[in-house]
Amino acid sequence: MAHAVAALAVELTDMAAADHQSAVRANSDDPAEQLAWRRLTAQHGDRLSEIMDEYGWPTKELVGEEAARAAWLIAQHADRQLEIQRRALKLMQQAVSAGSASPRELAFLHDRTLVNEGRKQIYGTQIAGVKDGAPVPWPCEEPERMDELRAEVGIEPFDEYVAKFAMA
């Protein structure tokens, strides 16, 4: 079992590394590059689904912090696999309740899933686009409470967060 879990941790971190390398293709002008990104994230989503079948949510106790974060990233990018995202969200909520996963990462996945469902996000983590050089979030449930809700899960205030994306 220990060997299988160690191999799983390596597999998850390798998938996250491939995701990082390929992420520039997501918004490429070249349809072939966009397709390569979609194929990669779909393969990763399928594999994460198998992992969740076998192990539940890959927590930091099970696979280590780096691999647990990698699992979250894979779920985050499974945008065209809403059932996998929803399942990851549910399992991750249970893991956060048990103290085995990051509330911050859960907030990002929750917002991402809501946006993918065509619903309003809660924490303002998902950016719809840029207007006049400033990032604009997808609509939020309670925009006036967004920074308070963000603080509860360890996310910096919205203005600080979007400053990272602002045009230099």
Side-chain angles (χ1 to χ4, degrees), residues 142-163:
E142 301 177 271
E144 68 287 347
R145 289 194 58 222
M146 189 170 58
D147 279 339
E148 172 193 337
L149 295 168
R150 291 169 74 92
E152 288 173 9
V153 294
I155 302 174
E156 64 271 63
F158 184 76
D159 289 345
E160 285 178 34
Y161 176 69
V162 296

Side-chain angles (χ1 to χ4, degrees), residues 103-158:
R104 183 181 198 278
E105 290 173 359
L106 176 63
F108 275 82
L109 184 58
H110 195 175
D111 274 358
R112 186 81 163 231
T113 305
L114 287 169
V115 166
N116 285 336
E117 291 173 339
R119 296 162 57 197
K120 291 182 177 180
Q121 62 178 330
I122 296 168
Y123 303 96
T125 63
Q126 302 303 300
I127 304 300
V130 177
K131 185 175 182 184
D132 301 325
V136 177
W138 286 96
C140 286
E141 235 3 273
E142 301 177 271
E144 68 287 347
R145 289 194 58 222
M146 189 170 58
D147 279 339
E148 172 193 337
L149 295 168
R150 291 169 74 92
E152 288 173 9
V153 294
I155 302 174
E156 64 271 63
F158 184 76

Side-chain angles (χ1 to χ4, degrees), residues 2 6 20 24-25 35 69 71 76 89 93 130 137 150 154 156-157 161:
H20 281 298
V24 295
R25 297 174 170 176
L35 191 58
R69 183 170 171 78
Q76 187 79 352
L89 181 64
Q93 284 168 331
V130 177
R150 291 169 74 92
E156 64 271 63
Y161 176 69

